RNA sequence: CCUGCUGUAGCUCAAUUGGUAGAGCGCUGGAUUGUGGAUCCAGAGGUUGUGGGUUCGAGACCCACCGGUAGGACCA
């Protein structure tokens, strides 16, 4: 291949490679979350990554652009458009529609895995492939299920060691009630108002007023044209946002004034009240679950209660404090399955964004050990004796010790560097001396590192080699085990 | 997609008003025929994002494109 034709080693924007420690961290987080889901009775489901575009729903792609927002391709087999799933809820709806007769009702499942969105502008915390942990109850009307969503989310946070979080809850019907009381029917305007509510946290009440009225300049200085609502309507929206009270009950009462004229709105408030009753018997403190008028959630398919977990602590982004924000979202969607079957199948659930949470944990410094302990490395001093080294590794592995033979082609010094890079606890050294005496030399890499801090004279530490010992060949396994146990103790103490 | 900032070695960054492209870290080798982490020495590594322009001369100035980044739109 000519030089100019060589492919460039690079990965597509918005995608990531995860090496050992990061991957393990994610796996552990997923396991912790899924344990909670399982404890609440949800069962594991795995579905295919690729779905028919029409099954995924009309929410992202449309007729003219089947690949808008999703990674789509046309299948040669049947000339149909396929796409990578963009969440785990739409595939669930398909599964329920396809296999519903054989499934228990209600159907309670959890699912974790990557989802894909063709973001226009991928960035540091906005990926085109990311991981979600979903749980849903399909086929239930009762608000007990929606209250349960709050319980599950709270418990998942606690299981992860996070005790500063808020599950925000609102109800789409309450928002509909607000729209009715404003006598706004035009979908574009309704959408504009909802978007503006959602931005409350960012743009504050002043920004909301401007956005609903003439418009506003954002932080970057660009002009955002406003909705030009009449003054009375703006006032009403502002009053609605002020419904947020110290307790959930009070918030419900405040909502009621805005919903009074609208059957939909009243129903929404009653649903929230019902959720509140379940929360009360479950001893969920006001600070952990709040009813919040400014919560909207984007997805079109939500029809009732909507949820979001917010991490309220501030992080410094380039010196500026900023709320960490949302790490999970969900809600009730009563029509997703109906799209397939024509039968109304109400469902509710939520999804935790694993990657956002990982980022949060690393900011809270709650992530586990940076680098995990590597394998024991058996160095190859003398290549003629290659089979003897293999026997050593075999013994270690038979004893259940994670170990490997150095398989590179470099000098001894480089082998030590390799072991260091692998974060190896013990290096096994054997050359002509050891083979003649029937011994092996073991080096405690962690002790060696600690001792090296104090040594100043190069000659001294090279000759001394304090962190290593020569033991009888028969004692290999026992001695290696002893050193690993020591290292384990030390690293645990350092972490604590 | 809009706006601003930015692009120099693998990484972090230097380079007076336009005047010979440098350092630290990392990497490789050596001092030490068998020892990672201390110290010293040496080496490799660049068409300064790409293309055009101004100039005797451009890493620097101008234009276009491409990439990164911050904010916004959109999305969650």
């Amino acid at each position: 291949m000519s030089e100019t034709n060589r492919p460039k080693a690079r990965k597509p924007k918005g995608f990531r490679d995860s090496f050992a420690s990061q991957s393990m961290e994610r796996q552990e987080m997923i396991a912790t979350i899924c344990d909670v889901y399982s404890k609440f009775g949800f069962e594991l489901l795995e579905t295919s990554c690729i779905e028919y575009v029409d099954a995924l729903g009309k929410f992202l792609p449309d007729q003219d652009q089947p690949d808008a927002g999703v990674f789509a391709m046309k299948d040669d087999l049947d000339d149909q458009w396929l796409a990578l799933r963009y969440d785990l809820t739409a595939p669930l709806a398909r599964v329920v529609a396809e296999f519903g007769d054989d499934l228990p009702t209600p159907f309670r499942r959890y699912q974790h895995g990557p989802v894909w969105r063709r973001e226009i502008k991928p960035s540091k915390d906005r990926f085109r492939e990311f991981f979600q942990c979903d749980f849903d109850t399909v086929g239930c009307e009762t608000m007990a299920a929606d209250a349960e969503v709050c319980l599950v989310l709270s418990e998942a946070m606690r299981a992860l060691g996070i005790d500063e979080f808020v599950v925000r809850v609102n109800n789409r019907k309450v928002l509909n009630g607000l729209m009715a009381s404003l006598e706004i029917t035009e979908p574009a305007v309704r959408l504009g108002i909802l978007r503006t509510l959602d931005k409350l946290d960012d743009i504050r009440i002043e920004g909301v007023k401007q956005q609903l009225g003439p418009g506003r300049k954002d932080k970057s200085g660009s002009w955002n044209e406003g909705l030009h609502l009449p003054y009375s309507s703006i006032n009403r929206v502002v009053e609605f946002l002020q419904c947020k009270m110290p307790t959930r009950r009070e918030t419900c009462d405040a909502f009621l004034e805005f919903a009074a004229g609208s059957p939909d709105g009243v129903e929404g408030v009653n649903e929230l009240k019902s959720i509140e009753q379940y929360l009360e018997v479950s001893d969920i403190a006001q600070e952990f679950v709040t009813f919040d008028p400014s919560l909207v959630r984007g997805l079109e398919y939500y029809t009732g209660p909507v949820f979001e977990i917010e991490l309220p602590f501030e992080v410094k982004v380039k010196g500026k404090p900023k709320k960490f924000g949302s790490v999970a979202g969900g809600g009730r969607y009563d029509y997703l399955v109906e799209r397939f079957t024509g039968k109304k199948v109400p469902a509710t659930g939520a999804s935790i964004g694993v990657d956002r949470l990982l980022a949060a944990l690393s900011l809270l410094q709650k992530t586990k050990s940076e680098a995990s302990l590597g394998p024991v490395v058996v160095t190859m001093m003398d290549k003629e004796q290659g089979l003897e080294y293999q026997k050593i590794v075999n013994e270690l592995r038979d004893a259940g010790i994670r170990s490997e033979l150095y398989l590179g082609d470099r000098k001894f010094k480089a082998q030590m560097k390799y072991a260091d890079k692998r974060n190896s606890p013990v290096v096994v050294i054997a050359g002509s001396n050891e083979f003649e005496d029937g011994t092996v030399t073991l080096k405690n890499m962690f002790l060696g590192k600690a001792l090296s801090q104090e040594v100043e004279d190069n000659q001294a530490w090279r000759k001394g080699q304090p962190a290593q010992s020569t033991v009888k060949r028969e004692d290999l396994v026992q001695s290696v085990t002893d050193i690993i146990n020591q290292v384990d103790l030390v690293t645990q103490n350092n972490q604590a």
Side-chain angles (χ1 to χ4, degrees):
Chain A
M1 191 180 286
S2 77
E3 285 204 24
T4 50
N5 266 345
R6 285 187 184 147
K8 197 172 173 189
R10 73 219 153 117
K11 75 180 154 36
K13 260 164 279 168
F15 291 83
R16 290 164 294 174
D17 301 316
S18 310
F19 291 94
S21 64
Q22 206 189 350
S23 267
M24 307 261 290
E25 236 168 63
R26 181 185 292 124
Q27 271 183 28
E28 280 170 33
M29 170 174 282
I30 291 173
T32 304
I33 294 170
C34 288
D35 276 353
V36 172
Y37 293 172
S38 175
K39 194 177 98 181
F40 275 79
F42 296 89
E43 67 174 43
L44 181 61
L45 171 73
E46 290 187 303
T47 65
S48 73
C49 300
I50 290 180
E51 298 276 349
Y52 286 111
V53 161
D54 62 350
L56 275 179
K58 59 183 177 179
F59 306 105
L60 281 175
D62 63 43
Q63 303 291 352
D64 304 329
Q65 285 179 284
D67 56 347
V70 298
F71 289 95
M73 68 211 90
K74 205 161 193 178
D75 190 356
D76 287 339
L77 279 180
D78 54 6
D79 212 32
Q80 294 284 302
W81 278 96
L82 304 174
L84 287 167
R85 65 185 181 211
Y86 61 82
D87 72 6
L88 299 175
T89 311
L92 170 64
R94 189 218 89 213
V95 166
V96 170
E98 194 170 346
F99 302 104
D101 292 345
D102 302 326
L103 299 173
T105 306
F107 180 54
R108 293 158 61 72
R109 74 87 242 232
Y110 69 92
Q111 180 170 9
H112 62 87
V115 300
W116 296 268
R117 288 180 198 171
R118 234 176 45 167
E119 296 286 351
I120 299 160
K121 181 187 159 190
S123 67
K124 199 164 58 181
D125 41 28
R126 194 145 161 209
F127 305 105
R128 308 218 283 186
E129 175 185 56
F130 54 97
F131 289 79
Q132 292 191 331
C133 272
D134 255 61
F135 65 96
D136 294 86
T137 300
V138 181
C140 68
E141 302 263 11
T142 169
M143 284 297 122
D146 300 86
E148 186 186 62
V149 171
C150 302
L151 300 182
V152 172
L153 290 176
S154 303
E155 182 142 342
M157 290 300 107
R158 292 218 186 78
L160 292 166
I162 299 172
D163 38 38
E164 208 183 332
F165 66 90
V166 183
V167 179
R168 300 166 67 209
V169 182
N170 198 359
N171 194 316
R172 275 292 169 82
K173 291 175 185 170
V174 172
L175 292 170
N176 291 342
L178 170 70
M179 295 300 164
S181 81
L182 292 172
E183 295 177 350
I184 290 170
T185 48
E186 206 179 318
V189 180
R190 294 174 76 126
L191 198 60
I193 294 174
L194 290 179
R195 280 178 187 153
T196 309
L197 292 183
D198 206 30
K199 284 187 174 47
L200 173 66
D201 222 46
D202 261 351
I203 66 180
R204 304 277 143 195
I205 201 77
E206 276 316 306
V208 171
K209 283 183 193 168
Q210 291 165 7
Q211 188 66 47
L212 296 177
R216 56 175 252 279
K217 266 192 184 171
D218 60 38
K219 277 182 254 173
S220 73
S222 347
W223 178 253
N224 290 282
E225 191 57 37
L227 292 166
H228 300 287
L229 297 185
Y231 183 74
S232 59
S233 300
I234 296 175
N235 244 4
R236 190 149 176 86
V237 172
V238 169
E239 279 168 27
F240 175 74
L241 285 174
Q242 284 159 352
C243 285
K244 173 116 204 244
M245 297 290 166
T247 67
R248 297 182 292 255
R249 273 186 184 279
E250 290 170 287
T251 305
C252 285
D253 292 339
F255 276 159
L256 207 48
E257 289 178 29
F258 287 83
S262 142
D264 211 19
V266 172
E267 194 180 325
V269 175
N270 285 336
E271 287 179 0
L272 287 177
K273 279 184 176 167
S274 175
I275 290 174
E276 167 61 7
Q277 288 176 335
Y278 285 100
L279 293 179
E280 275 172 11
V281 297
S282 307
D283 276 333
I284 291 293
Q286 301 289 339
E287 56 186 300
F288 288 126
V289 179
T290 66
F291 291 168
D292 189 328
S294 73
L295 176 66
V296 176
R297 301 293 309 168
L299 284 177
E300 289 292 316
Y301 53 65
Y302 292 131
T303 52
V306 285
F307 314 98
E308 180 172 295
I309 301 181
E310 180 184 300
L311 301 187
F313 56 83
E314 302 208 321
V315 291
K316 274 181 193 155
V317 182
K318 309 237 161 178
K320 288 179 189 171
K322 201 180 171 182
K323 268 192 189 173
F324 189 87
S326 161
V327 293
R332 178 166 278 271
Y333 47 97
D334 285 346
Y335 299 107
L336 263 190
V337 178
E338 187 184 17
R339 293 179 45 239
F340 296 98
T341 61
K343 251 196 297 185
K344 192 182 168 193
V345 182
T348 188
S351 180
I352 295 181
V354 174
D355 301 276
R356 294 279 301 150
L357 251 188
L358 277 173
L361 282 189
S362 82
L363 282 170
L364 287 173
Q365 296 180 323
K366 286 201 172 163
T367 45
K368 304 209 170 142
S369 59
E370 274 290 300
S372 54
L373 206 60
V376 172
V377 172
V378 177
T379 55
M380 287 257 264
M381 187 89 77
D382 181 359
K383 284 193 185 126
E384 306 287 308
Q385 301 282 351
L387 298 179
E388 293 305 314
Y389 296 116
Q390 181 65 50
K391 286 182 194 164
I392 293 177
V393 196
N394 289 345
E395 267 177 51
L396 292 172
R397 287 174 182 161
D398 285 347
I401 297 168
R402 184 166 178 242
S403 53
E404 67 178 35
L405 184 60
Y406 176 76
L407 292 176
D409 187 24
R410 315 270 310 277
K411 288 185 182 171
F412 187 64
K413 182 167 179 157
Q415 301 188 25
M416 293 300 290
K417 278 195 174 188
Y418 170 80
D420 190 39
K421 235 176 200 169
R422 292 297 308 275
N423 205 27
S424 174
V426 181
V427 169
V428 178
I429 302 167
S432 52
N433 298 343
E434 285 82 359
F435 286 124
E436 276 169 31
D437 299 349
T439 58
V440 287
T441 296
L442 305 177
K443 177 153 193 164
N444 180 333
M445 295 295 278
F446 282 54
L447 185 57
K449 187 178 261 178
L451 291 175
S452 73
Q453 308 286 326
E454 296 154 19
V455 178
E456 279 162 30
D457 178 28
N458 182 39
Q459 301 296 326
W461 71 263
R462 285 179 67 84
K463 279 185 188 155
Q465 290 306 344
Q468 65 190 52
S469 58
T470 300
V471 303
K472 283 188 189 151
R473 181 57 223 275
E474 320 69 283
D475 297 337
L476 170 74
V477 167
Q478 187 56 52
S479 303
V480 169
T481 307
D482 288 346
I483 298 177
I484 291 177
N485 288 340
Q486 272 175 31
V487 168
D488 259 356
L489 271 180
V490 172
T491 50
Q492 273 169 28
N493 284 342
N494 285 349
Q495 277 171 36

